[in-house]
C-alpha cells in the first residue's frame, strides 16, 4: 500500500494537490474536513456538534475524527492506498492512525508537509472564502485562529513522523503544477 499523509496549515493546498495525486497514484482521498462538511450538510447530530468547533476555527474532538477515519478505512478495504488530508491533526490522531493501519499490516509511507508563509495562507483562504462560501474561510479572525491552532496542536505531529523517518518538507509556494511535481518527485523516491 502507498499511504501518504499530506500535511500543512489551512490554505497550504492540501485538497487541491490530493485531488491530483489520487488520480496519478490511484489512491483513496480521505479528508476529515470534507467528511465533516458532508455531515453538516446532511444535518447529522455529529455534524451539528462538529460545526460549533469548526465555526470558531477550533479542532473537532480526537474521538470523533478518529472514528470517522477508521470507518472510511474499513469501508475501502480494497484500496491501493490512501491520501490523508487534514488528518492527523494531533499526535493522538497520528498514534491512532498507526494502530489502525497496523491492523491491516500497513503503515504510513511518507508524511509530506507543505510550507507556505502565514501572509500567503491568509490571502489564499480569504480568496477561497469568496468562491467556496466556506464560512470559516470568510472571517479573518477565524482564519488566524486556525493558523494558531495549527501551530500549537498540529505542528507537533511533524516530530512524530520525523522520529519514524517519514517526514519530508515540501515548498508549498509556486504554481499548482510546480508543487504537484515536487510532491510526485518525493513520492516516486519512496515507492
Ligand atoms: P479542513 O477542511 O481540513 O481545513 O478542516 C476544516 C475544519 O474541520 C477544521 O478547522 C477543524 O475544525 C475540523 N477538522 C478537520 N479535520 C480535523 C481533524 N483531523 N481533527 C480535528 N478537527 C478537524
Amino acid at each position: 500500500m502507498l499511504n501518504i499523509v499530506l500535511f500543512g496549515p489551512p490554505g497550504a493546498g492540501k485538497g487541491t494537490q490530493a485531488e491530483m495525486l489520487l488520480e496519478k497514484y490511484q489512491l483513496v482521498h480521505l479528508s476529515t474536513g470534507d467528511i465533516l462538511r458532508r455531515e453538516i450538510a446532511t444535518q447529522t447530530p455529529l455534524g451539528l456538534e462538529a460545526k460549533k468547533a469548526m465555526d470558531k476555527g477550533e479542532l473537532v474532538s480526537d474521538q470523533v475524527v478518529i472514528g470517522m477515519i477508521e470507518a472510511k478505512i474499513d469501508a475501502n478495504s480494497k484500496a491501493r492506498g490512501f491520501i490523508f488530508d487534514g488528518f492527523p491533526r494531533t499526535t493522538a490522531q497520528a498514534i491512532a492512525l498507526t494502530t489502525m493501519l497496523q491492523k491491516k499490516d500497513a503503515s504510513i509511507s511518507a508524511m509530506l508537509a507543505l510550507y507556505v508563509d502565514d501572509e500567503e495562507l491568509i490571502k489564499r483562504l480569504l480568496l477561497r472564502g469568496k468562491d467556496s462560501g466556506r464560512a470559516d474561510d470568510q472571517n479573518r479572525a477565524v482564519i488566524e485562529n486556525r493558523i494558531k491552532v495549527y501551530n500549537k496542536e498540529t505542528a507537533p505531529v511533524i516530530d512524530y513522523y520525523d522520529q519514524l523517518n517519514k517526514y519530508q518538507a515540501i515548498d508549498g509556494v509556486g504554481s499548482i503544477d510546480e508543487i504537484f511535481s515536487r510532491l510526485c518527485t518525493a513520492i516516486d523516491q519512496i515507492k
Side-chain angles (χ1 to χ4, degrees), residues 7 16 22 25 55 63 73 76 79 84-85 95 102 114 123 130 138 153 163:
F7 196 79
T16 306
L22 72 92
Y25 295 100
D55 283 348
Q63 198 197 345
I73 291 178
N76 287 281
F84 297 95
D85 158 9
I95 293 168
Q102 258 166 7
L114 292 167
K123 204 174 81 190
K130 279 191 199 146
Q138 289 176 4
E153 297 180 53
Q163 278 161 20

Side-chain angles (χ1 to χ4, degrees), residues 111-115 158 166-172 182-183 186:
M111 187 251 220
L112 305 177
L114 292 167
Y115 280 82
I158 290 172
K166 304 282 184 192
Y167 160 72
Q168 264 200 67
I170 306 282
D171 180 2
R182 287 174 204 146
L183 290 166

Side-chain angles (χ1 to χ4, degrees), residues 10-11 14 31-34 36-37 50 53-55 57-62 65 68-69 85-90 93 125 128 134 136-137 146:
K14 300 185 294 293
S31 155
T32 37
D34 286 350
L36 288 165
R37 280 184 289 278
M54 291 167 78
D55 283 348
E58 302 288 339
L59 295 184
V60 174
S61 79
D62 284 340
V65 289
M68 278 177 4
I69 285 286
D85 158 9
F87 180 91
R89 258 179 161 95
T90 63
Q93 292 178 20
L125 289 168
R128 187 171 76 183
R134 259 180 72 169
D136 60 348
D137 283 345
R146 284 157 68 201

Side-chain angles (χ1 to χ4, degrees), residues 82-103:
F82 296 97
I83 301 185
F84 297 95
D85 158 9
F87 180 91
R89 258 179 161 95
T90 63
T91 304
Q93 292 178 20
I95 293 168
L97 180 59
T98 299
T99 308
M100 282 179 231
L101 292 173
Q102 258 166 7
K103 286 187 203 152

Side-chain angles (χ1 to χ4, degrees), residues 141-160:
V142 173
I143 290 174
E144 282 171 354
N145 191 44
R146 284 157 68 201
I147 295 173
K148 198 175 104 196
V149 168
Y150 169 82
N151 287 325
K152 185 159 167 264
E153 297 180 53
T154 303
V157 175
I158 290 172
D159 296 335
Y160 178 80

